[in-house]
Amino acid sequence: MFTLPKLNYEFAALEPHIDARTMEIHYTKHHQGYTDKLNAAIEGSSLAEKTIEEILAKVSEESTAVRNNGGGFYNHSLFWSIMSSQGGGEPTGALADAITQSFGSFEEFKTQFSTAAATQFGSGWAWLVVHEGELSVGSTPNQDNPLMDITGLDGSPILGLDVWEHAYYLNYQNRRPDYILSFWNVVDWEEVARRFEAAA
Ligand code: MN
């Protein structure tokens, strides 16, 4: 059975970019809800013995409840981990080199990622993924993610941005582009680099 991962910072830690009330509701209600519903969906089945990565890799064979809640469980766990009150700035080292190689520059990467986040119609996520050594950006609807065998975006996600309205509406209302712009101030590039090295 899956448990809600511990949050490594206070709900107010990411202010003013992400407000405490949004963090609290997002973590204690939305993420907890996905976790509980995932557990309910896999209880008593062979999936209860698998890792979340194993479940997502063959999610095309599973129910909509496993797809939506398994994605929701995984995506939010990643999302909290790649943000920090000490975030922002730019990556360094191998990740910085790979971004420059794949996108031309860090600024061009930010533009492409922000565009993917802004243009995802309705609810979903924007991603930076590593696939066969190459970096790429894209988006997925609902709680789908690049580990699933049902999306057009394949690879290991190392950075993700939740663009569901529940992620920003209290503070930004309909202004998703402002939320996306603020997100760059809290990205924990050390954690993204750690995930990059683990995936590469
Ligand atoms: Mn969310």
Side-chain angles (χ1 to χ4, degrees):
M1 303 301 269
F2 295 97
T3 53
L4 192 65
K6 191 178 177 310
L7 201 59
N8 290 322
Y9 41 80
E10 302 294 316
F11 294 136
L14 305 179
E15 289 196 345
H17 311 294
I18 298 180
D19 64 284
R21 183 82 175 123
T22 295
M23 277 300 304
E24 181 176 6
I25 296 170
H26 204 171
Y27 176 73
T28 67
K29 305 297 183 191
H30 292 276
H31 198 188
Q32 184 72 64
Y34 294 121
T35 306
D36 293 346
K37 288 174 187 166
L38 172 62
N39 285 330
I42 66 173
E43 190 176 7
S45 82
S46 61
L47 295 182
E49 313 300 322
K50 296 187 174 176
T51 66
I52 189 63
E53 289 85 357
E54 288 169 340
I55 292 173
L56 299 181
K58 292 186 177 177
V59 83
S60 64
E61 301 168 11
E62 308 301 338
S63 66
T64 304
V66 171
R67 175 177 177 170
N68 290 342
N69 296 297
F73 171 77
Y74 180 93
N75 295 347
H76 291 86
S77 302
L78 181 146
F79 188 45
W80 312 138
S81 81
I82 56 85
M83 295 190 290
S84 162
S85 61
Q86 308 298 312
E90 298 189 15
T92 56
L95 175 58
D97 294 344
I99 286 174
T100 302
Q101 189 165 2
S102 295
F103 301 100
S105 68
F106 181 67
E107 283 307 311
E108 178 58 23
F109 152 71
K110 276 175 72 176
T111 298
Q112 289 189 27
F113 185 96
S114 297
T115 299
T119 59
Q120 168 59 43
F121 183 75
S123 299
W125 291 76
W127 302 105
L128 172 64
V129 302
V130 188
H131 185 52
E132 294 171 355
E134 294 285 311
L135 289 173
S136 61
V137 299
S139 66
T140 53
N142 305 314
Q143 295 295 351
D144 288 356
N145 81 39
L147 294 177
M148 294 180 174
D149 59 343
I150 43 174
T151 63
L153 183 67
D154 293 325
S156 301
I158 61 171
L159 177 69
L161 176 57
D162 188 345
V163 295
W164 283 58
E165 284 187 344
H166 68 226
Y168 61 87
Y169 209 86
L170 286 180
N171 195 29
Y172 295 95
Q173 293 81 51
N174 62 315
R175 304 188 310 277
R176 189 193 288 186
D178 291 352
Y179 161 69
I180 296 167
L181 204 59
S182 283
F183 170 66
W184 297 114
N185 295 309
V186 294
V187 174
D188 182 352
W189 287 110
E190 288 182 17
E191 173 61 16
V192 179
R194 195 192 64 73
R195 288 175 175 271
F196 171 69
E197 276 148 34

